[in-house]
Amino acid sequence: QVRVVESGGGLVQPGGSLRLSCAASGSIFRITAMGWHRQVPGNQRELVADITSGGITNYADSVKGRFTISRDNAKNTVYLQMNSLKPEDTAVYYCNTKRGNWGWGQGTQVTVSS
């Protein structure tokens, strides 16, 4: 079973930046479209960015131009660079396939507040 471990969250002021990392087990990672999802308590989990095995990216309108997803297949790792953070970006961020069909990790908390 594939496992993912997210890291890199924290508390940041509005306008600040964070870089999230996700380490995945299993060779299947290299052929899998991956995504970063986020969830605010009481709301459904939403996909904010995804990347194909070949590096093609897509973003939710709410983060387009501010977030950048990337991957290193040699390290089985996917990243999310988050710039110009806003309070509404506050959420728990999860790494999974684009479709969210692997088991969910613990996520990493991102809090944007002054």
Side-chain angles (χ1 to χ4, degrees):
Q1 184 176 358
V2 180
R3 297 182 63 185
V4 296
V5 178
E6 303 95 342
S7 62
L11 172 63
V12 64
Q13 292 186 342
S17 298
L18 283 173
R19 188 191 194 207
L20 307 184
S21 298
C22 168
S25 64
S27 59
I28 196 173
F29 171 88
R30 303 180 182 189
I31 62 171
T32 302
M34 296 297 296
W36 281 97
H37 309 249
R38 68 185 181 188
Q39 187 171 28
V40 175
N43 289 4
Q44 286 191 331
R45 195 171 285 154
E46 63 168 335
L47 176 68
V48 296
D50 63 86
I51 184 168
T52 68
S53 58
I56 297 172
T57 59
N58 289 287
Y59 300 92
D61 287 343
S62 59
V63 306
K64 198 171 295 183
R66 301 187 297 120
F67 290 11
T68 302
I69 188 171
S70 60
R71 66 190 296 162
D72 185 337
N73 287 338
K75 296 181 179 180
N76 272 24
T77 302
V78 62
Y79 305 96
L80 187 67
Q81 177 67 44
M82 305 186 297
N83 299 328
S84 301
L85 281 162
K86 303 176 181 180
E88 51 263 44
D89 295 318
T90 296
V92 180
Y93 284 72
Y94 299 90
C95 166
N96 206 305
T97 67
K98 177 181 177 181
R99 297 182 178 183
N101 58 320
W102 288 354
W104 293 95
Q106 294 295 313
T108 186
Q109 175 71 47
V110 171
T111 302
V112 185
S113 174
S114 56

